[in-house]
Amino acid sequence: MKSKKNLIYIHGFSANKLDHPMLAKAVKKAGYKFYTFDLPGHGSLKDLYDIEDITFDFLVKYVIEQIKKLNLPSFVIMGHSMGGGLTSVLAGEKAFGNKLKGIILEAPHNKRVINRSFSSIKNTITLIKEEMTRKLLKPKLTHYFKDMSEQKEEYSSLLINILNFSSLNRIQNGIDKIDVPTLLLLGEKDIYIPLTDTYENYMSNVDDLEVHIIHNAAHCVSVDQPNLFYKYFTQFLKSFDKNGQITD
């Protein structure tokens, strides 16, 4: 008989299934079994798909197929960045019925990435300048954005696909319909996901929500502040045992 305590991890844009090195150990320590896979065009599947052909809708379909293949009786899904956007859609669209018991979102991709408030833009520019100073980069913002675009150039078409209004609207519709326990972890210094707007977006639309803003953490909270990240992560998983929501 398969365990009912399972966690599935969905990685982010231009990353891979191994980008959270401490995750598998933390999942096992919490008494759960760990599952993950590379998304098309990433990691071990990087050369098997043309990035130009990958759309957000295709990724959603692919993730659903991979999770259904696992044939698990129940599970929690964790998604980082783009994976967080995918996870929000899976939860909101109820792709797995009552098998999905909860979700963990680390700096999730959402519609507010585009619809930034003026305060978020100012905050982002400030954080970028801090990052430039810390790494002793060239002083102009244009140089910073040029360096960033060159690092992600091979994924540029996918970036456009996940930032189009169709994709963002699907994510937002998913967020609006999330009805499972949700843990949201945000980095105070994240330059990709607007902190205040993302916080307000999920707070306004998700009823059963636990939020933690992690100081001195950027886009990869689990890497920048692993102790705090895995503290909240483990507490969230163990809460299902206390509430009798997942029992083997």
Side-chain angles (χ1 to χ4, degrees):
M1 182 177 177
K2 289 189 175 182
S3 171
K4 293 182 180 179
K5 297 180 181 179
N6 304 288
L7 182 131
I8 301 166
Y9 171 61
I10 304 174
H11 68 74
F13 172 77
S14 76
N16 63 72
K17 65 182 181 181
L18 302 176
D19 65 0
H20 281 49
M22 297 173 61
L23 184 57
K25 184 177 180 180
V27 171
K28 184 177 180 180
K29 190 174 180 180
Y32 281 67
K33 290 192 174 181
F34 179 64
Y35 298 88
T36 188
F37 46 83
D38 285 320
L39 295 175
H42 297 73
S44 61
L45 303 181
K46 189 170 184 177
D47 298 325
L48 297 182
Y49 294 83
D50 290 329
I51 290 291
E52 292 79 9
D53 297 332
I54 300 174
T55 65
F56 187 81
D57 290 344
F58 174 76
L59 290 176
V60 173
K61 183 179 179 181
Y62 181 86
V63 171
I64 291 174
E65 290 173 350
Q66 296 307 305
I67 293 178
K68 285 186 174 179
K69 285 180 183 177
L70 297 174
N71 194 29
L72 301 173
S74 63
F75 47 85
V76 174
I77 299 178
M78 172 185 162
H80 174 233
S81 193
M82 181 179 73
L86 291 167
T87 300
S88 296
V89 170
L90 298 176
E93 294 183 359
K94 300 176 178 51
F96 308 105
N98 60 6
K99 288 185 176 183
L100 179 59
K101 301 302 182 181
I103 60 174
I104 299 171
L105 304 172
E106 179 187 9
H109 177 48
N110 67 99
K111 196 171 184 179
R112 300 296 182 91
V113 170
I114 294 295
N115 297 345
R116 290 174 181 263
S117 67
F118 179 67
S119 61
S120 288
I121 293 173
K122 283 182 63 178
N123 185 53
T124 299
I125 292 174
T126 299
L127 293 174
I128 289 174
K129 287 181 176 178
E130 288 178 3
E131 182 72 1
M132 290 166 64
T133 302
R134 186 176 70 84
K135 293 186 176 180
L136 300 178
L137 297 177
K138 298 171 184 176
K140 292 184 179 180
L141 287 175
T142 52
H143 291 308
Y144 176 85
F145 289 118
K146 182 175 182 293
D147 291 341
M148 291 299 296
S149 64
E150 287 175 352
Q151 291 176 30
K152 306 288 186 181
E153 184 177 4
E154 60 187 313
Y155 290 98
S156 58
S157 60
L158 176 58
L159 182 61
I160 292 171
N161 284 338
I162 67 173
L163 288 175
N164 64 37
F165 286 112
S166 174
S167 300
L168 293 172
N169 285 336
R170 187 173 185 184
I171 295 172
Q172 189 60 47
N173 288 336
I175 293 171
D176 295 345
K177 297 175 183 176
I178 293 174
D179 62 358
V180 295
T182 301
L183 173 63
L184 177 62
L185 296 166
L186 301 171
E188 177 193 27
K189 296 181 178 296
D190 194 337
I191 62 175
Y192 301 107
I193 303 299
L195 175 62
T196 302
D197 290 348
T198 298
Y199 171 84
E200 291 176 350
N201 191 12
Y202 281 87
M203 282 292 291
S204 300
N205 294 291
V206 182
D207 291 331
D208 193 349
L209 179 68
E210 176 184 344
V211 185
H212 295 281
I213 296 172
I214 311 300
H215 297 299
N216 295 317
H219 192 53
C220 293
V221 182
S222 64
V223 175
D224 295 335
Q225 294 290 345
N227 291 338
L228 278 176
F229 179 91
Y230 287 111
K231 171 188 173 182
Y232 299 129
F233 173 89
T234 302
Q235 288 175 350
F236 183 76
L237 288 184
K238 289 186 174 181
S239 69
F240 291 103
D241 297 338
K242 294 178 182 177
N243 298 330
Q245 292 167 280
I246 300 180
T247 55
D248 281 336

